[in-house]
Amino acid sequence: MSHRTIYIIVGAVVAVLLVVMLATFDYGTPNKDEAKANDLIAAYQDAGLTNRLDAEQLAKLLGDDGGAVCQAAADLPSGHAVRGYVKLRFGVGGEFYFRPTRLDRNLVARSLLIVKTYCPDQLPDVRNFVDGLRLADVNGD
Amino acid sequence: MTDASASFDPAVDAPAVPVARTKTGTVGVISWSALALMTVSSVASLRPAPTMAVYGLACVFLYLLPAVVFLIPTALVSAELASGWEGGVYRWVTEGISPNMGFAAAWHQFAMTIFYYPTLLSFVASTLAYVIDPSLASNGVFTAVVIIVAYWAGVLLSLRGGIGVVAKLASSGVLIGTLIPGALLVVLGITYLLQGNPSAAPMGAGHFLPAWTGIASIVLIVSNFGAYSGMEMNAVHVNELDDPPRQFPKAMFVAVALVLVILILPPLAISWMVPAEQISLTAGVMQAFSAVLAHFGIQWLTPVIGLAIVLASLAGFLTWLSGPSRSLLLVAKQGGYLPPYFQRTNAAGVQENILVVQGFVTTVLALLFALVPAVSNAYWIFMTITTSVYLLVYLWLFVAAVRLRRLQPDHPRGYRAPALPLLCGVGFVASLAAIAISFVPPSQFGSGSPATFVAIVGGGILILGLIIPYALIKLRKPTWQLGEAEAAS
């Protein structure tokens, strides 16, 4: 097989993947919900945790469904591969070398508050997952 | 492991001459810029960016300190050694310490890659799932199929195309999937701040250093010392360059600059725009990108970015596939360390049987990772063990470099690293510290006993790093030492 043929095949596979990904992606724009964002800010304050973004910015990031946080929360109970994969990403490093470290207790507390505010049904599963982790004061806030 | 009786047969040993004088039929297969990009794809990508973004401004320190104590020593020492000797780490360790240690170094490089592929390719699966159908992310069968198909497609590409095709695809992949999306992320981050938005993470000078909270801070800082592991790996292809003594150091210096930019700036940009708590549980680069693109109303770019990131991961995969297995082939051929079956190459000179056998092991690991809960939950332990085994390579590398300066001071080198003993001393201590810190239980170990963790990690390092290579050395037979013609056939 000539190199040219290889490049053509690789190019064709990439083109097909691009078409599939463009065709299947959900382009829906999440609804903003500033009321929920305000609830989250209040929850941070009640827990004594700092928050740097206002309700409008949080609403943009979390929408009305908790965005990526609640998506991850929904995946945790159903997929052990997801849990294994997420555990692989708690750490530091580069592309090849990646080492598990200790997660910050306050950071996890903040994530749990997002789950509690936006997708409370998932809270027991996420809490169950988090309870299996050894947390530490890492960020010092 | 340092059995003196296992010395090289000069008849099959590659000549110890400066690589510039060693002209073979394959010289000039890779350009120096392609080698630089291959090195970048081996070490850096956007994959760790969200994970590091949770540390805010401190992520800069977390990458700069390892750059001083590990990246610079590794890059400069590798540049000197590659400009004097062909073959990469196994050859340097062989010349500087002993042939058996050269084989051990090649094994230590190779061993980690077997466990690395399922994690890298499962990232490809999760990225595809994120764009195509997020529910696929929790589907173990989908993950297993993507890992296995991608792995064997990579093997087929390597076997059919050889290193020339791999170099072109890998360098294109890093350009499309890392440099361009990384630059986009940074531009969007700067724009976000210029629009008057407050940074999601504090950026004051007081936040440059990670907070000091005792052992957790030490684990955080020292664990990252090895972040630049792999900088030396592509030196195995040095004889594919036109003028290795000049071009390899040049490729290395360009790679160092790009790696620093790629690893530091994108996480910083993410930390400006996305609060840490929104990425800590997902640790996903697509989730981070999605949040950033949504802010600017350009979510339509998400599938394109997703594909680009997949291509970058596959580029890194191809680079790793062709490097350590090549080292293992060369050292096996020169010292007869593996049965003749593993020394066989195809018409393109690619180590086909090593890749195929490695493929079967990877396939089994992928199936276990994706389908067996106990394995996927514990897979991070394999990564802890194998990163430590990989770091052993650097111990041998730095010792070999110092010894080569003493044993072969007049051996021509295209580049001489300044203050080499100091560089090697600093790099050695940093590597040793990163190995030592792997014995501290991380979050993933939960409430398990630290002694159990030490036993698991120590046992794993012992088996993978010492017992297996020692057994292979002891089991080898004189008949495994093939002549040059026989090995080539």
Side-chain angles (χ1 to χ4, degrees):
Chain A
M1 191 185 292
S2 72
H3 289 185
R4 186 185 158 84
T5 311
I6 292 174
Y7 295 135
I8 290 171
I9 293 172
V10 170
V13 170
V14 171
V16 168
L17 259 182
L18 180 61
V19 170
V20 169
M21 291 169 87
L22 284 171
T24 53
F25 181 66
D26 177 5
Y27 293 89
T29 310
N31 299 316
K32 292 179 199 166
D33 188 337
E34 289 199 19
K36 272 192 180 170
N38 278 317
D39 289 347
L40 180 62
I41 291 170
Y44 284 151
Q45 284 167 348
D46 289 346
L49 298 169
T50 54
N51 172 54
R52 296 175 58 84
L53 300 187
D54 60 26
E56 189 190 347
Q57 286 169 308
L58 281 176
K60 247 182 179 178
L61 286 162
L62 293 168
D64 61 355
D65 61 358
V69 179
C70 285
Q71 176 63 51
D75 287 341
L76 279 177
S78 59
H80 60 81
V82 172
R83 286 194 294 276
Y85 180 75
V86 168
K87 280 187 177 179
L88 277 171
R89 303 313 302 164
F90 292 158
V92 291
E95 164 51 47
F96 173 65
Y97 170 101
F98 201 84
R99 267 286 175 78
T101 53
R102 292 193 176 175
L103 266 178
D104 183 59
R105 187 171 286 119
N106 281 345
L107 188 61
V108 171
R110 269 202 274 265
S111 300
L112 285 172
L113 285 177
I114 295 175
V115 175
K116 190 177 173 186
T117 307
Y118 286 87
C119 44
D121 293 350
Q122 310 293 343
L123 191 59
D125 292 321
V126 178
R127 200 180 282 283
N128 185 36
F129 176 73
V130 167
D131 285 346
L133 301 172
R134 182 188 296 252
L135 303 178
D137 292 322
V138 180
N139 293 342
D141 54 359
Chain B
M1 201 86 74
T2 55
D3 180 6
S5 67
S7 60
F8 266 5
D9 178 348
V12 290
D13 188 9
V17 295
V19 287
R21 296 180 200 166
T22 310
K23 291 287 180 186
T24 69
T26 58
V27 163
V29 168
I30 307 178
S31 67
W32 73 267
S33 54
L35 192 73
L37 290 174
M38 284 172 76
T39 303
V40 171
S41 74
S42 311
V43 179
S45 75
L46 298 179
R47 194 158 67 108
T51 320
M52 297 303 289
V54 303
Y55 300 106
L57 185 59
C59 78
V60 178
F61 174 84
L62 289 173
Y63 277 128
L64 282 183
L65 182 62
V68 173
V69 300
F70 186 83
L71 174 64
I72 291 174
T74 308
L76 297 188
V77 170
S78 300
E80 168 167 331
L81 296 176
S83 72
W85 291 267
E86 298 184 343
V89 172
Y90 86 88
R91 178 74 191 286
W92 310 334
V93 177
T94 294
E95 295 279 340
I97 305 177
S98 76
N100 282 350
M101 286 303 291
F103 172 71
W107 169 260
H108 292 154
Q109 269 193 322
F110 180 74
M112 167 147 182
T113 61
I114 298 173
F115 290 91
Y116 167 65
Y117 297 137
T119 67
L120 174 62
L121 297 176
S122 67
F123 169 74
V124 169
S126 72
T127 306
L128 290 173
Y130 183 85
V131 175
I132 295 170
D133 177 3
S135 69
L136 287 172
S138 53
N139 185 328
V141 175
F142 173 77
T143 304
V145 167
V146 171
I147 295 174
I148 292 167
V149 169
Y151 181 87
W152 287 104
V155 169
L156 197 62
L157 263 177
S158 302
L159 290 176
R160 297 289 182 188
I163 190 62
V165 168
V166 167
K168 280 186 184 140
L169 292 177
S171 49
S172 306
V174 77
L175 189 68
I176 295 168
T178 301
L179 293 175
I180 294 173
L184 175 69
L185 204 51
V186 174
V187 168
L188 292 179
I190 292 169
T191 308
Y192 175 88
L193 294 180
L194 289 176
Q195 285 175 338
N197 296 301
S199 167
M203 288 291 141
H207 293 91
F208 177 71
L209 293 175
W212 175 253
T213 58
I215 187 72
S217 302
I218 296 172
V219 171
L220 177 67
I221 295 166
V222 178
S223 291
N224 212 32
F225 278 3
Y228 302 100
S229 292
M231 288 298 294
E232 80 303 329
M233 185 268 288
N234 286 295
V236 71
H237 306 302
V238 71
N239 55 326
E240 315 286 354
L241 294 169
D242 271 332
D243 183 6
R246 283 185 56 247
Q247 291 183 328
F248 188 85
K250 194 157 72 168
M252 201 53 124
F253 298 143
V254 170
V256 165
L258 287 174
V259 161
L260 283 172
V261 167
I262 292 166
L263 286 181
I264 292 174
L265 294 184
L268 198 58
I270 291 173
S271 75
W272 294 335
M273 296 180 275
V274 188
E277 59 269 27
Q278 294 186 27
I279 39 179
S280 63
L281 280 182
T282 60
V285 69
M286 285 313 296
Q287 286 82 352
F289 253 111
S290 188
V292 170
L293 296 176
H295 175 86
F296 290 94
I298 48 175
Q299 297 99 314
W300 55 268
L301 263 180
T302 306
V304 180
I305 297 286
L307 179 61
I309 286 171
V310 163
L311 295 179
S313 296
L314 295 176
F317 162 65
L318 281 178
T319 312
W320 279 105
L321 195 63
S322 61
S325 58
R326 180 90 190 149
S327 277
L328 200 62
L329 170 81
L330 295 176
V331 75
K333 268 186 176 180
Q334 292 179 3
Y337 284 98
L338 293 177
Y341 175 81
F342 291 103
Q343 299 181 35
R344 213 162 291 156
T345 54
N346 69 3
V350 180
Q351 52 287 3
E352 59 181 349
N353 289 349
I354 290 179
L355 288 181
V356 168
V357 172
Q358 183 188 27
F360 286 121
V361 177
T362 302
T363 301
V364 171
L365 276 176
L367 289 170
L368 293 173
F369 175 73
L371 302 174
V372 181
V375 176
S376 55
N377 264 318
Y379 207 84
W380 62 270
I381 295 182
F382 295 135
M383 295 310 291
T384 304
I385 292 167
T386 51
T387 49
S388 291
V389 170
Y390 196 93
L391 285 168
L392 291 173
V393 173
Y394 294 101
L395 302 184
W396 320 143
L397 167 74
F398 292 124
V399 170
V402 171
R403 281 175 59 84
L404 280 170
R405 273 279 182 97
R406 211 175 62 228
L407 296 171
Q408 301 182 37
D410 300 324
H411 180 95
R413 295 153 165 91
Y415 166 79
R416 292 180 88 88
L420 184 109
L422 177 66
L423 287 174
C424 289
V426 170
F428 187 93
V429 171
S431 306
L432 203 58
I435 293 171
I437 211 73
S438 69
F439 289 95
V440 178
S443 285
Q444 290 87 329
F445 199 60
S447 55
S449 147
T452 308
F453 187 74
V454 169
I456 293 170
V457 173
I461 294 173
L462 202 66
I463 291 170
L464 203 61
L466 185 68
I467 293 175
I468 293 179
Y470 182 79
L472 288 169
I473 289 167
K474 285 295 164 195
L475 290 173
R476 72 177 171 150
K477 297 175 180 169
T479 53
W480 293 359
Q481 180 87 60
L482 306 178
E484 270 184 280
E486 200 179 350
S489 69

